[in-house]
Amino acid sequence: MSAPWWQSAVFYQIYPRSFATGGAGTGAGGSPTGDLAGIEAHLDHLSWLGVDALWISPFYPSPQADFGYDVADFCDVDPTYGDLAAFDRLLGSCHERGLRLLVDLVPNHTSDQHPWFRAARSSRDDPKRDWYIWRDGTPDTPPNNWVAAFHPVPAWTWDDATGQWYLHQFLREQPDLNWANPEVVEAMHGVMRFWLDRGADGFRIDVVHGIGKDPELPDDPPEVAGIPHSALNDVPQTHELIRGMRTLVDAYPGDRLLLGEVYLLSTEQVATYYGDGDELHLSFNFPPLYTRWRAKRWRQQIADTHRLIGERPGAWPTWVLSNHDNARHRSRYGSEERARAATFLLLGLQGSPVLYAGEELGLDDAVIPPDRVVDPGGRDGCRAPIPWTAAPDHGWGVTDAWLPWPPDPEYRNVETLADDGASILHLYRRLLAARAASPALQLGGFVLLDAPDDVVAWRRTAPPAAAGDTVGADALRSGDADEAAGDGSGGDADDPSDRIVVVNMGSAPASVAVRGTVLVSSDGTGEGAPFTGTLAPDQAVLIVPTR
Ligand code: GLC
């Protein structure tokens, strides 16, 4: 049986407010906020780049307390972003180009302005009351010690009118749905069918590990009290609910996908959300995202991910370094050289990569002056608008978008970088092309290679590497690079079934004993030539090994 599309796909996250404008917010010309028509108008960039599938962050009607993750209607489009017809056009254009599209499903909570919550809040007797999680008590003592995300405040708000507390793992404007109520399950399944029937290729599922709750709502243990409950909630009830979602999507033709956001900072816990191949098809795994630029730490993360997810039956890893919730990895790692080298982790490791719009431009986070802060979670910097051109409006038709531009937009914009063959944008494109041409990189086996302290190196082979079919563990340590580089005859550049990736995370040059031809190099040097055996600081290479 051939592998489903999402195992070899490269995903690309779009934050619709910040991607591009087609003028939906104003009716014409420019707009300070992006929209669905703006995405459609820039699909050429994504096809040229070479990604396979888009995940679009929420575009539902929303009061925007959490910029769309507070949903007031799960089956419509906020006028800021367009309408359902604009969604249908976008989806059609994606499919014409062979791009898949994932909708962001937000099952854990609604907006407090959603008609369900307005009804629930109207009276204790309302039929929708039990669609949310209410507890008795007194206004001074929340029902348990759970802490909400973003600010260290209780995950409970007292509703004076009806004299009970309601639960919200995020903002008080985002009350948690009660998935223990079968009516909620049915309603959210209806939402999933709504988008699948329109042709969506699946869902990125927001905080999916949060939807089940221990019915006793026990206190979080004292040693973790203070950590938002949304990063701790891990109960058996959720797995049953995810199996229900999986049955629903698997009944549709075309390998529709569940890509879950399991925000538990343990790969061991994340792995359980794949179930026995009957829960999530893919899950985000965030511990690598929070790993510093140190080879020793990365080797550990890679080994853990491979052991716990890569080798788990029915599971397949994902890799992500940036998204709308975290400082961009270019900013975290501190240099373009490192951002370039990190691309080899994303696109070279075994699993499905998820890129975040703008990382292909090497964008840094924007500097947000205090009077421009809008996000309650302090995440504005990574959500800055994408610069498309060098002109003062950067392709938006307005010179001041909803957030300040990221640094250096006169250079770091799509138009300028596309004209510069040495840019990071072209590096992304070359690596994506190299990946698309290599079954080893897309679906092949994986072996971590022993390497000098500051270096992370691995081999990908297709079909999956048989036991013992590895590069000798000591091979990469054997000092003399000149000798190690061998006769310089290079590898068989036409053989796509064997690849080695080497990343030097150190601040000094590193020598590794690999022989072959450099296919892609993070600084662009030496491509097409025999590998010299030496890597510059923060340099990475993709090599066709000499057998
Ligand atoms: C997820 C989203 C984040 C949002 C939160 C609440 O973590 O990625 O942006 O604030 O869920 O919906």
Side-chain angles (χ1 to χ4, degrees):
M1 208 177 87
S2 65
W5 65 269
W6 39 264
Q7 283 192 347
S8 55
V10 176
F11 293 85
Y12 183 95
Q13 180 194 356
I14 289 180
Y15 196 68
R17 220 174 167 76
S18 301
F19 189 67
T21 179
T26 56
S31 164
T33 50
D35 52 36
L36 298 182
I39 299 172
E40 191 184 356
H42 289 82
L43 292 180
D44 279 350
H45 168 65
L46 303 177
S47 296
W48 174 84
L49 187 61
V51 299
D52 305 296
L54 312 182
W55 145 38
I56 306 182
S57 283
F59 44 75
Y60 310 105
S62 163
Q64 310 291 342
D66 188 16
F67 292 99
Y69 285 96
D70 49 324
V71 181
D73 182 349
F74 289 112
C75 298
D76 205 348
V77 173
D78 193 285
T80 312
Y81 303 123
D83 52 22
L84 283 171
F87 173 82
D88 292 340
R89 282 193 299 272
L90 171 60
L91 183 62
S93 295
C94 284
H95 285 171
E96 271 169 27
R97 289 158 196 270
L99 285 168
R100 297 221 166 56
L101 193 156
L102 304 184
V103 170
D104 202 322
L105 183 73
V106 188
N108 181 68
H109 44 264
T110 68
S111 162
D112 63 349
Q113 299 307 309
H114 194 292
W116 299 344
F117 189 71
R118 290 164 83 107
R121 198 175 201 171
S122 68
S123 130
R124 285 199 190 198
D125 303 325
D126 188 272
K128 293 274 189 307
R129 183 74 171 183
D130 187 47
W131 283 39
Y132 294 85
I133 299 170
W134 299 90
R135 284 294 179 276
D136 289 331
T138 53
D140 48 330
T141 314
N144 66 18
N145 70 352
W146 293 5
V147 171
F150 311 138
H151 303 295
V153 297
W156 296 92
T157 287
W158 176 256
D159 183 57
D160 228 7
T162 56
Q164 279 188 314
W165 294 89
Y166 68 85
L167 176 69
H168 52 88
Q169 295 188 73
F170 293 88
L171 299 172
R172 62 165 60 203
E173 294 89 349
Q174 294 168 294
D176 274 45
L177 281 163
N178 176 18
W179 278 75
N181 181 337
E183 289 175 13
V184 168
V185 176
E186 196 38 49
M188 291 309 291
H189 282 189
V191 169
M192 294 174 77
R193 287 191 203 98
F194 177 85
W195 295 103
L196 294 171
D197 289 343
R198 293 193 104 82
D201 296 291
F203 302 99
R204 176 267 186 184
I205 315 181
D206 195 59
V207 288
V208 68
H209 64 292
I211 62 178
K213 309 287 186 311
D214 183 326
E216 304 297 323
L217 302 173
D219 274 349
D220 285 327
E223 62 276 16
V224 292
I227 295 178
H229 183 74
S230 58
L232 303 170
N233 195 78
D234 184 25
V235 297
Q237 285 82 355
T238 304
H239 296 275
E240 181 67 38
L241 295 168
I242 296 175
R243 281 193 288 273
M245 294 178 168
R246 174 70 177 255
T247 305
L248 187 155
V249 293
D250 279 357
Y252 278 79
D255 281 338
R256 312 293 174 102
L257 172 67
L258 298 180
L259 162 59
E261 185 206 22
V262 177
Y263 194 86
L264 296 168
L265 298 182
S266 137
T267 301
E268 199 157 6
Q269 283 173 296
V270 167
T272 65
Y273 286 80
Y274 288 87
D276 295 322
D278 56 356
E279 296 187 28
L280 299 174
H281 300 94
L282 292 176
S283 175
F284 283 104
N285 176 43
F286 292 112
L289 185 150
Y290 294 115
T291 296
R292 291 198 297 147
W293 189 250
R294 296 278 180 279
K296 192 175 163 210
R297 296 186 184 206
W298 265 96
R299 273 198 296 271
Q300 189 62 53
Q301 292 294 340
I302 292 168
D304 286 353
T305 302
H306 186 60
R307 178 173 51 87
L308 296 164
I309 299 178
E311 292 183 339
R312 186 183 174 105
W316 182 249
T318 63
W319 298 96
V320 64
L321 290 176
S322 287
N323 61 26
H324 65 297
D325 289 330
N326 293 283
R328 286 181 176 276
H329 65 273
R330 160 78 177 78
S331 299
R332 298 199 313 271
Y333 296 156
S335 73
E336 174 164 327
E337 285 72 26
R338 289 181 177 182
R340 283 173 174 252
T343 313
F344 290 68
L345 298 168
L346 284 167
L347 297 175
L349 288 167
Q350 185 189 48
S352 302
V354 187
L355 310 180
Y356 178 47
E359 68 174 75
E360 75 273 27
L361 308 177
L363 292 185
D364 253 320
D365 278 9
V367 176
I368 311 291
D371 64 336
R372 297 289 302 271
V373 169
V374 290
D375 176 46
R379 299 163 293 182
D380 294 323
C382 64
R383 298 174 176 182
I386 302 294
W388 290 93
T389 71
D393 73 350
H394 300 300
W396 286 69
V398 295
T399 50
D400 208 11
W402 77 289
L403 284 171
W405 304 108
D408 208 9
E410 295 75 22
Y411 171 69
R412 289 192 187 278
N413 62 76
V414 174
E415 190 180 61
T416 304
L417 296 193
D419 281 346
D420 175 0
S423 68
I424 187 171
L425 176 59
H426 278 274
L427 171 67
Y428 267 80
R429 186 162 184 256
R430 286 200 303 284
L431 257 187
L432 281 159
R435 185 185 158 94
S438 167
L441 286 177
Q442 291 188 311
L443 293 166
F446 169 87
V447 184
L448 198 53
L449 303 175
D450 197 12
D453 286 352
D454 287 339
V455 172
V456 187
W458 63 93
R459 186 172 193 167
R460 304 289 313 279
T461 46
D469 178 21
T470 64
V471 171
D474 290 327
L476 295 188
R477 280 196 183 276
S478 57
D480 189 328
D482 287 335
E483 191 186 313
D487 61 12
S489 63
D492 175 1
D494 291 323
D495 176 6
S497 66
D498 196 1
R499 294 287 180 267
I500 287 180
V501 181
V502 189
V503 183
N504 178 15
M505 297 188 176
S507 53
S511 293
V512 293
V514 174
R515 285 195 283 175
T517 302
V518 176
L519 253 192
V520 185
S521 162
S522 63
D523 62 7
T525 58
E527 293 183 2
F531 178 51
T532 63
T534 303
L535 289 159
D538 296 327
Q539 191 196 353
V541 287
L542 169 64
I543 293 172
V544 185
T546 306
R547 287 179 191 260

